[in-house]
Amino acid sequence: MAKVLIIGAGGVGSVVAHKCAMNSDVFTDIMLASRTKAKCDKIAADIQAMHGVSIRTAQVDADVVAEMVMLIKQFGPELVINVALPYQDLPIMDACLETGVHYLDTANYEPKDVAKFEYSWQWAYKERFEKAGIMALLGCGFDPGATQVFTAYAAKHHFDEMHYLDIIDCNAGNHGKAFATNFNPEINIREITQPGRYWENGEWVEIPPMSIHKPIDYPEIGPKESYVLYHEELESLVKNFPTLKRARFWMTFGQEYLTHLRVLENVGMTRIDPVKFNGMDIVPLEFLKAVLPAPDTLGENYTGQTSIGCQIKGIKDGQDQTYYIWNNCDHAETYKEVRGQAVSYTTGVPAMIGAMLMLQGIWMKPGVWNCEEMDPDPFIEQMNRQGLPVQEQVNIPLPHEY
Ligand code: NDP
């Protein structure tokens, strides 16, 4: 039915390529392109061996719009799935505009020299995408992505008005490494070393990094210390659901992880400004990334589960209502299915689902959109079919104070 071009052959790109190949009735022709072609070839060989599907591969530097335009013209996809890094969002969107091709990503644009998480740069493309008659779907991973679909689903089916939202994200997995990040280390460390931020009574409240924390009880996992972080989907959620009085994002971290991070920060290894080394400019965080395990190498022997969901309080039929919607995902199971760990899997599967719904015309609207602006029902249905079963509970005592 459709040709799709996937950019980025890391942990997430691999899962997206596998899952597109496993849905070859929709994705009839798949190309995986990245900076290092050998990584695409390795993934293509695994896909051939595991699912009997042949995909094409290519080399591209997605920072260079002209290279992206050339590749798109050569292959002729209807949609580009961008699972490279956030730095490539704008050049790939420019290439899509130039060639009239739809666009999807899983993380908002960030400039390299400042860790700034906001949608303003990408929302500024809205009119140009509308005029070109093409669609960009932003942040269609798990968080951002499925968490916004969960919130939209809650709004549609369970609330007249939502007041309090807590997105809770737990990785209770064990990969056996002393220190590793589950997705691109540079992006991950930039995100969590920033001041935290949450929405309360119409404004952002900024807090020192990791300064608000408490144990949260996760289904099938138990209590895990969870920390308030700023996460990009909060920006679009409070805009699209203005009745929210408070919106927060919580993520679990182990003590061992936090100790490593503190030491790395204290010695300057998480800096993103260049330092002189042997006469060369080196960005310490980029160097750190080069010596840490890559996220796509963590899958083998990774055990335990992730649990990500939304806990919401509001009003239904004049009464207080609470609601919890979540997915648990098992690292060992996802490795068996697509050779990827659960953090890559929970990102890559929603990206494939978003792409599928766009190509089927179910989620197709020219312009630039966030996931909560689409009908959540077909997405939830696909999550249940594609390996991310959704669970929900209505009117339970929520573990947080309200
Ligand atoms: P990885 O570091 O494993 O992979 C990134 C890939 O992008 C690599 O293959 C890399 O190539 C490629 N790449 C980098 N720069 C370029 C470029 N200029 N041109 C072409 N390819 C390039 O990261 P992950 O797979 O873990 O993460 C991918 C994306 O998913 C990130 O944007 C991340 O923020 C996002 N993410 C979103 C989540 C969500 O829930 N929404 C959760 C987790 C991740 P090379 O191998 O040569 O370096």
Side-chain angles (χ1 to χ4, degrees):
M1 194 185 111
K3 275 187 173 182
V4 66
L5 172 59
I6 304 162
I7 307 292
V12 178
S14 171
V15 172
V16 174
H18 275 262
K19 291 302 276 197
C20 286
M22 290 162 77
N23 287 276
S24 55
D25 51 331
V26 176
F27 305 98
T28 42
D29 201 345
I30 302 163
M31 177 181 273
L32 176 62
S34 193
R35 195 163 48 184
T36 313
K37 184 169 177 289
K39 289 193 184 173
C40 305
D41 293 337
K42 160 84 176 62
I43 294 167
D46 280 349
I47 289 174
Q48 181 70 58
M50 291 172 74
H51 318 296
V53 174
S54 159
I55 69 165
R56 306 189 213 191
T57 60
Q59 196 278 330
V60 73
D61 181 349
D63 287 323
V64 182
V65 178
E67 278 197 28
M68 274 302 303
V69 167
M70 195 156 59
L71 184 63
I72 292 174
K73 283 187 175 161
Q74 276 166 2
F75 179 54
E78 276 150 69
L79 170 77
V80 174
I81 302 179
N82 167 19
V83 277
L85 298 181
Y87 318 127
Q88 280 82 53
D89 289 5
L90 299 189
I92 299 179
M93 287 177 84
D94 284 332
C96 285
L97 268 174
E98 204 171 320
T99 50
V101 170
H102 304 298
Y103 171 89
L104 178 150
D105 68 30
T106 64
N108 69 7
Y109 172 71
E110 275 175 56
K112 266 208 153 193
D113 54 349
V114 41
K116 201 164 177 209
F117 306 95
E118 57 175 66
Y119 280 112
S120 58
W121 289 285
Q122 292 181 277
W123 284 343
Y125 281 68
K126 194 174 178 81
E127 238 178 72
R128 277 176 282 162
F129 268 68
E130 263 167 19
K131 278 203 185 119
I134 52 173
M135 173 172 180
L137 183 62
L138 306 183
C140 194
F142 208 105
D143 43 350
T147 51
Q148 288 136 286
V149 174
F150 284 174
T151 309
Y153 187 81
K156 181 172 175 183
H157 297 287
H158 296 286
F159 291 96
D160 296 325
E161 218 175 79
M162 296 190 298
H163 293 159
Y164 299 97
L165 166 68
D166 283 292
I167 300 172
I168 58 172
D169 177 333
C170 170
N171 180 7
N174 180 8
H175 47 53
K177 308 265 193 287
F179 181 79
T181 63
N182 294 286
F183 66 95
N184 184 275
E186 195 183 321
I187 305 300
N188 187 209
I189 292 172
R190 279 161 70 106
E191 179 177 89
I192 63 185
T193 51
Q194 292 311 297
R197 218 174 349 145
Y198 62 93
W199 182 256
E200 191 161 44
N201 298 325
E203 59 186 40
W204 294 107
V205 180
E206 189 164 301
I207 55 170
M210 309 287 189
S211 57
I212 297 183
H213 56 98
K214 65 179 173 184
I216 293 178
D217 200 0
Y218 293 90
E220 297 167 52
I221 290 170
K224 292 276 172 197
E225 200 65 15
S226 307
Y227 297 76
V228 168
L229 297 183
Y230 178 67
H231 224 241
E232 63 201 54
E233 66 264 48
L234 294 176
E235 184 185 7
S236 65
L237 282 168
V238 300
K239 176 170 159 265
N240 289 314
F241 297 105
T243 60
L244 283 172
K245 296 178 186 176
R246 190 181 62 208
R248 299 182 294 195
F249 183 96
W250 302 78
M251 189 178 271
T252 58
F253 295 100
Q255 274 317 309
E256 182 75 356
Y257 183 96
L258 292 177
T259 304
H260 275 82
L261 190 63
R262 197 170 60 244
V263 173
L264 290 168
E265 262 191 296
N266 286 344
V267 298
M269 282 306 294
T270 61
R271 282 172 56 175
I272 61 174
D273 55 318
V275 297
K276 280 271 181 243
F277 178 75
N278 283 350
M280 284 189 318
D281 276 342
I282 288 191
V283 175
L285 184 56
E286 287 177 8
F287 179 75
L288 177 63
K289 182 202 166 231
V291 295
L292 287 176
D296 58 356
T297 61
L298 299 175
E300 211 172 351
N301 305 320
Y302 208 146
T303 55
Q305 295 188 57
T306 61
S307 178
I308 314 174
C310 295
Q311 297 187 330
I312 301 167
K313 187 176 176 193
I315 302 284
K316 177 77 174 168
D317 300 328
Q319 305 285 319
D320 279 353
Q321 164 107 312
T322 55
Y323 177 69
Y324 180 23
I325 177 167
W326 75 95
N327 161 263
N328 272 31
C329 187
D330 187 286
H331 289 284
E333 293 296 319
T334 63
Y335 187 75
K336 239 187 278 165
E337 188 190 319
V338 297
R339 295 281 178 274
Q341 35 93 348
V343 176
S344 304
Y345 189 88
T346 52
T347 310
V349 174
M352 180 281 292
I353 294 173
M356 171 188 273
L357 296 179
M358 285 170 72
L359 292 170
Q360 289 173 331
I362 300 170
W363 268 23
M364 181 45 69
K365 243 190 326 187
V368 175
W369 304 99
N370 293 89
C371 291
E372 69 272 27
E373 295 174 283
M374 301 289 129
D375 179 4
D377 293 1
F379 195 98
I380 299 275
E381 193 189 314
Q382 283 300 331
M383 285 183 73
N384 286 322
R385 282 196 200 161
Q386 303 285 350
L388 294 175
V390 176
Q391 306 189 60
E392 55 178 342
Q393 277 185 356
V394 181
N395 270 338
I396 48 154
L398 291 181
H400 313 312
E401 79 296 340
Y402 280 100

